Amino acid sequence: MTSTAAPESIGTFDYIIVGAGSAGCVLANRLSADPARRVLVLEGGGKDNWIWFHIPVGYLFAIGNPRADWMFKTAAEPGLNGRALPYPRGRVIGGCSAINAMIYMRGQAADYDGWRQIGLDGWGWDDVLPHFLAQEDHIEAPNALHRSGGDWRVEYPRVHWEILDRIREAAEQAGIPKIDDFNTGDNEGSSYFQVNQKTGRRWSAARGFLKPALKRPNLVLETNCVARRVLFEGRRAVGIEFEKDGRTVRASANAEVILSAGAVASPVLLEASGVGDRERLKALGIETVHHLPGVGENLQDHLQIRPVYKVTGIETLNAIYRNPLRRGLMAAEYALRRTGPLTMAPSQVGAFTRSSPEFETANIQFHFQPLSLDAWGEGLHPFSAFTASVCNVRPTSRGSVHLKREAGADSPDIRPNYLSSEQDRRVAVDSLKVARRIVSQPALAPYAPEEHKPGAHLKSDEDLTVAAGDLGTTIFHPVGTAKMGIDTDPLAVLDARLKVRGLDGLRVIDASAMPRITSGNTNSPTMMIAEKGAAMVIEDGR
């Protein structure tokens, strides 16, 4: 319940960062490095003082748990045959990096070169690679594409499954070559994912960036507080009003307010502050501070379709999960060696390929998993199986995220609009056919794979389109809802320096800023944006 008492003040800072998620932790670290800058970070969630934030397999318990997840849901999606989806977002310091798949993925060089080609100077591959490298602490010896000594730890999986090796062989037989590294700028091929872990423990943005910086007296972290609106004097952002423990509190900013609450919360906070489409704000009863019709539009996400294949004669996690003795041994292995299934990211092996020859670079991504289940947060199936999860990494469907005044700012109206374009529906069907082609190869024949979902009886494009809608679910990569763009783009919310257009002292530095989604997992690209954004903030503040 919102307090009706006059707001109290917690003082004045140079920079206020809203959100201690993947981007906010990077910003907090970089902006507070100079003791002359006083920095406040506001986080709606709590501390990461729960064991499942640190044991990698803890995502099974964190996603769908209000201790770790904001528990958002989408509206009913026509492209998903009327289904509404849970839409997990991290509710803890570290944000989604505390509950996600831990996969270190930069995307493709062509993604960033595409940003530059639409007029966003300074955002090409050669421009952003140094910012990826500045963060990286890679387990391999340094080379032209990897560095050690940074804050963002990158290692290889510490668990091995024979079924995944056989899947890679089958993918190679299907024309998808084995490669060593997805992070060279061209990720076409199959490989083991690199993960953000250190010796078998999750390495979140909070662990890598925020916690080491909290020893600085010029950095203040407030947790369990929800930002309600940006405060303005004229067209300049001068602070934040937030709620904590039932109190309304204000903080003032001398230099800038930076929204890093993510692609769901940042646009909603802009609208709650009077920044957005004038007519939409009027309907919500909010006075317009600045008309920006692109706020909350341009939502892009990776929709994963999850074919499941039963197998025999080879082990998957399903069998271990059903055996109490094996589960005990699994826990002992982790306690003693920090290896084994408890170190598992949801996927250990991936593959990028083209759904059809019309695409110049790989446009679909597989996450192969030595397990199967109906939905995350539910138990594993009572039979041995693997999942060949596949997503279109460059969807053309566009959705939206907006404030719902009747439900409050904590319950946004999320409409991803999945499979609303003809191209996306065609790619979905073709990606299921690619999955079948891989599974039909000789390398997997000894294990008699049987298509459990969607079912081998579904053969026509019409049937597979329906199946894609039935099986499709978010892979947790929303971006683009306060996108960067050039002056002539009517939906651009930010300029190329991540400043909110038409306002002073306000930036959005998180996944919202992406004009187009990257070709792969989006967490590390978001942190790169924060690294580059922090450098811009510092440069502009001089």
Side-chain angles (χ1 to χ4, degrees), residues 307-452:
V308 171
Y309 292 89
K310 294 181 179 180
V311 288
T312 59
I314 194 166
E315 187 166 71
T316 71
L317 185 62
N318 293 20
I320 296 176
Y321 181 80
R322 294 195 305 274
N323 186 321
L325 176 61
R326 296 289 302 279
R327 289 203 302 269
L329 292 173
M330 184 171 67
E333 179 182 1
Y334 183 79
L336 295 172
R337 301 175 56 192
R338 291 289 189 267
T339 60
L342 289 186
T343 68
M344 281 176 58
S347 311
Q348 292 79 57
V349 162
F352 288 83
T353 189
R354 308 175 202 209
S355 61
S356 71
E358 71 182 273
F359 293 95
E360 293 185 6
T361 62
N363 71 304
I364 58 174
Q365 176 184 8
F366 283 91
H367 290 76
F368 293 110
Q369 299 152 349
L371 54 84
S372 66
L373 70 174
D374 288 326
W376 294 113
E378 299 183 10
L380 302 185
H381 286 143
F383 47 78
S384 290
F386 67 87
T387 303
S389 176
V390 61
C391 65
N392 176 358
V393 293
R394 290 192 299 279
T396 55
S397 299
R398 297 291 182 266
S400 63
V401 175
H402 290 294
L403 177 66
K404 281 197 301 190
R405 174 59 75 196
E406 68 276 12
D410 299 335
S411 182
D413 184 17
I414 304 171
R415 298 177 182 270
N417 218 16
Y418 296 120
L419 300 178
S420 59
S421 75
E422 176 58 34
Q423 183 182 102
D424 286 0
R425 291 190 292 273
R426 187 173 70 253
V427 170
V429 169
D430 289 345
S431 68
L432 287 170
K433 294 177 180 178
V434 174
R436 287 174 170 176
R437 189 170 77 240
I438 293 170
V439 174
S440 69
Q441 298 302 316
L444 287 172
Y447 314 111
E450 175 189 345
E451 188 172 299
H452 175 64

Side-chain angles (χ1 to χ4, degrees), residues 13 43 246 277 418 435 505:
F13 302 82
E43 168 54 40
D277 179 76
Y418 296 120

Side-chain angles (χ1 to χ4, degrees), residues 201-216:
R201 296 187 72 211
R202 176 187 289 273
W203 193 259
S204 71
R207 190 176 175 199
F209 293 88
L210 181 62
K211 289 183 177 180
L214 286 175
K215 65 181 182 292
R216 301 169 182 164

Side-chain angles (χ1 to χ4, degrees), residues 271-275 281-282 284-290:
E271 289 182 329
S273 308
V275 180
L281 296 178
K282 182 179 179 181
L284 291 167
I286 299 172
E287 183 179 350
T288 299
V289 172
H290 182 49

Side-chain angles (χ1 to χ4, degrees), residues 25-139:
C25 288
V26 174
L27 289 163
N29 184 293
R30 300 309 191 233
L31 295 183
S32 67
D34 183 344
R37 291 190 288 263
R38 193 156 184 251
V39 180
L40 170 67
V41 183
L42 302 176
E43 168 54 40
K47 301 287 182 67
D48 59 349
N49 53 359
W50 185 37
I51 189 172
W52 295 118
F53 289 133
H54 305 288
I55 296 177
V57 80
Y59 58 84
L60 288 172
F61 308 101
I63 291 174
N65 186 322
R67 179 171 183 171
D69 181 355
W70 282 101
M71 306 292 288
F72 296 146
K73 290 195 72 171
T74 71
E77 283 284 295
L80 303 186
N81 305 325
R83 291 184 300 127
L85 298 181
Y87 215 65
R89 299 283 86 198
R91 188 177 189 171
V92 61
I93 59 170
C96 291
S97 74
I99 66 171
N100 70 1
M102 298 162 282
I103 291 172
Y104 181 70
M105 183 70 62
R106 295 171 180 166
Q108 297 171 4
D111 297 332
Y112 305 100
D113 289 342
W115 295 4
R116 186 192 66 233
Q117 288 159 10
I118 62 174
L120 296 171
D121 293 339
W123 288 96
W125 172 252
D126 290 339
D127 302 306
V128 304
L129 181 58
H131 297 286
F132 280 113
L133 294 175
Q135 297 179 339
E136 197 176 63
D137 181 24
H138 203 285
I139 194 170

